[in-house]
Amino acid sequence: MSEQTPVWSVIALPAVLAALALAAAVLDAVLGGFRASSPLGEVARLLVQQRRRTLLPDTLLLRIGVVSLVVAPVLAGIVIPLGDIAVADLAVGIVWFNAMEVCVWGSLWLTGWSVNSVYPLVGAYRFVAQGLAYELPHMFALITVGLGAGSLRMSDAVRAQQELWFVVWMPLAFLVYLISALAMAFWGPMGAPLGGDIAGGSRAELSGPDRLLFQSGRYVLLVVAAAAAVPLFLGGGAGPLLPSWLWALIKTAAVLGLLVWVRHRVPVVRMDRFTQCSWLVLIPVSLLQLLVVGVVVL
């Protein structure tokens, strides 16, 4: 935390992430045909539900997996400015965000492996395969932003968009980022690691508080991915009349709503087809966008 960072921002960050995650869960429930109050009912049910035990699980690794699935996106969020204020405005903020997101790979794999059951392990390996498919175009999209801003600091990326938002002259990078955000949160069309064909995949054997943490971490990850799109592509808190922090929240909610909506409109994509699409389409597209931005900057 820098010297200029107010202490309240450290408390506000998890509170804002939790509120947005709950809003995403409510919207997801409504779009799925359930009552808006059903997420709160599910929280109460899981809090009192007894943990399921499989034969010879590695309990320590299981706890590390589900807890880190919540901690990693919160740590990723410390570099995302809410308006003009970030908990930690690191000089390598974009790299930090990407590094914390990659920690989710380990979280999901540990969760799937530690319960000593077939379907969760299959789900974990599916996510590793998905990660190998989306991570390169995701990194190229982030590098494109850093190249356009001339810096890896999130606040510098926002300042570089005072004249023109990056989404306007980096539309391909923005599209690649949104697709990789879905894959990062194993959400919607990228939800194969939790597929119904493998009985729920990585979360198949989770119940009680473990399942609650897993589900919460997934929503927080989705929120952080949506929030990062604001300083990276949508001008941060820039906007007329309203304060910058409110504009940042509005833009985050809009991107988050889009990501939640996609889940109910696009079917789950088979892993081999997503991998093929990533290597044959997303990577060339992201490299083309990087080349164009590089030529403009030079």
Side-chain angles (χ1 to χ4, degrees), residues 50-57 59 63 115 205 207:
Q50 189 173 14
R51 285 189 171 97
R52 182 188 306 163
R53 287 187 60 85
T54 54
L55 181 65
L56 299 176
T59 305
R63 299 287 182 270
V115 294
E205 300 291 352
S207 60

Side-chain angles (χ1 to χ4, degrees), residues 72-92:
V74 172
L75 290 177
I78 68 173
V79 297
I80 300 174
L82 180 60
D84 301 323
I85 299 174
V87 173
D89 190 22
L90 303 180
V92 290

